[in-house]
Amino acid sequence: MEISSLDALPVLLPLDDRSQIGEVRRIATGMAGQLGLDEQDQGRVALVLTEGLNNALTHGGGGQVVLRPIVNSRSGVEALIIDKGPGIANVERALRDGYSTAGTPGTGLGAVARVADGFDIYSVAGEGTALLVRVCARGANPERATAVPLLEAGAVCLPRSGETVCGDAWALGRNAERVVLIVADGLGHGPDAAAASMEAIRIFRKSLSLPPADILAEVHTALRSTRGAAVAVAALDPKLQEIRYAGVGNIASSVVSASETRSMVSHNGTVGHEVRKIQEFQYDWPAGALVIMQSDGLQTHWRLDRYPGLVTRDPALIAGVLYRDFTRGRDDVTVLAVRQRNQDGPSGG
């Protein structure tokens, strides 16, 4: 089983005024229809987005929306609604029907939480709100539809402003008891960068049984005819609670727990061109710890401990908050967050 950014192309949309709600809703329901959701489920997509977008405009002053098809079971739509507004001082109270600080009926967020198949929200007073919703076809398991077995995963992967294709790419695949991750950042941006990262994903898909260093070596050979890329590969073993990792170029990767953040080592170079050393490292992967991999379109000075409670939330919500607060805005950007699945249920609220 595999999830790839190439199969789940996201859409980034602005949210500056209420006239844009209809357009976002139209694109989201069209995406749902293409994925096979029936009219009733498309109606749920429209409802949760209308309420979520109205909340962002009323309380956050607007922001951005990232729509992503859920495709490994082809069964749903995921939406991240992010803003840098005043935030919500008491999220639990805001989710109660009838509560409002803006003179509205106050049923918005409560309705979203009831109707959506997946829901999580993170808000800090004075720093903004991030809302995650998933709507899946009836009968589908929304949690299993968004992750390979054993893992919860979430990602934001978007092109530089003005580009129609993204020069970054990521993928997750499973081999035996391992889950293998890759993030590739094609040199530069635009179609040539995208071609390099797409080739990296193609080779990755054929090489899942190999150790990360060998996968990276295979990718290096294949990318000689492209402009090259920064690439990192991580093999996660939930049973042994360990990570094996190999990277070349400026893909930054970390293991993040509630108590510390540990960076993983990538060597300098460009995969497909100049690679002086491919080396595999081993890291502990404590229960509940996140693995975060990012391209250089995201700044590296973030610290999750500055966001109380965020480390325990849905990985897609974590990726959305980091994108909102640390995207450089002048390059393609990818942030991939992965956590071992809690067998008692999803991590998000």
Side-chain angles (χ1 to χ4, degrees):
M1 185 178 295
E2 184 182 324
I3 307 172
S4 169
S5 58
L6 305 184
D7 301 323
L9 296 175
V11 179
L12 175 66
L13 300 166
L15 183 63
D16 301 316
D17 59 65
R18 296 188 190 279
S19 66
Q20 295 167 319
I21 292 178
E23 177 67 5
V24 175
R25 188 171 55 218
R26 181 189 67 78
I27 293 172
T29 55
M31 184 182 290
Q34 291 176 354
L35 293 170
L37 277 69
D38 63 21
E39 290 186 3
Q40 183 174 341
D41 290 327
Q42 291 176 44
R44 291 196 297 131
V45 171
L47 175 60
V48 300
L49 276 174
T50 298
E51 297 292 350
L53 297 171
N54 271 316
N55 178 78
L57 285 164
T58 299
H59 300 288
Q64 293 180 305
V65 186
V66 181
L67 299 176
R68 187 179 72 87
I70 299 169
V71 299
N72 80 318
S73 64
R74 302 201 64 81
S75 61
V77 174
E78 176 183 279
L80 274 166
I81 304 171
I82 49 181
D83 69 64
K84 290 188 176 182
I88 301 172
N90 189 322
V91 172
E92 182 178 355
R93 184 170 59 175
L95 289 172
R96 297 175 191 159
D97 288 348
Y99 173 76
S100 174
T101 60
T104 65
T107 57
L109 288 181
V112 172
R114 289 194 307 274
V115 173
D117 296 303
F119 176 90
D120 203 358
I121 185 170
Y122 184 79
S123 188
V124 175
E127 297 185 14
T129 299
L131 174 66
L132 171 71
V133 293
R134 297 187 183 102
V135 175
C136 295
R138 284 166 293 171
N141 183 323
E143 296 301 327
R144 297 298 180 186
T146 57
V148 295
L150 308 178
L151 292 187
E152 299 172 300
V156 173
C157 182
L158 296 167
R160 171 181 170 172
S161 178
E163 295 288 351
T164 57
V165 295
C166 186
D168 291 357
W170 62 269
L172 289 76
R174 184 178 181 185
N175 178 263
E177 293 304 314
R178 303 186 316 163
V179 176
V180 190
L181 322 177
I182 183 172
V183 172
D185 177 359
L187 194 64
H189 51 85
D192 289 340
S197 60
M198 289 171 65
E199 180 66 2
I201 301 301
R202 186 184 73 84
I203 299 302
F204 169 83
R205 287 170 162 166
K206 295 170 54 178
S207 310
L208 286 174
S209 63
L210 299 177
D214 291 349
I215 295 175
L216 193 56
E218 293 287 324
V219 172
H220 175 53
T221 299
L223 263 58
R224 292 188 186 281
S225 61
T226 73
R227 62 167 54 179
V231 182
V233 179
L236 316 182
D237 190 321
K239 185 176 181 180
L240 296 178
Q241 293 191 325
E242 71 174 23
I243 302 166
R244 293 188 176 274
Y245 179 87
V248 171
N250 50 8
I251 303 298
S253 303
S254 306
V255 183
V256 184
S257 67
S259 59
E260 66 174 351
T261 297
R262 184 175 185 184
S263 297
M264 293 188 275
V265 176
S266 289
H267 287 296
N268 293 330
T270 302
V271 175
H273 293 277
E274 183 179 359
V275 173
R276 297 181 181 178
K277 189 175 187 180
I278 295 177
Q279 184 177 2
E280 190 167 302
F281 297 89
Q282 182 176 330
Y283 300 93
D284 292 334
W285 186 29
L290 287 160
V291 175
I292 297 182
M293 301 174 68
Q294 65 178 80
S295 69
D296 67 347
L298 195 80
Q299 300 172 42
T300 58
H301 62 266
W302 54 264
R303 287 179 52 183
L304 286 193
D305 59 5
R306 295 176 179 171
Y307 296 83
L310 182 60
V311 70
T312 66
R313 309 317 295 256
D314 189 297
L317 193 72
I318 295 169
V321 170
L322 291 178
Y323 162 75
R324 180 194 68 187
D325 292 350
F326 295 100
T327 184
R328 296 185 189 277
R330 59 178 185 270
D331 199 359
D332 308 312
V333 58
T334 295
V335 52
L336 170 64
V338 178
R339 179 196 292 114
Q340 187 170 348
R341 177 175 292 280
N342 179 357
Q343 297 302 316
D344 296 327
S347 59

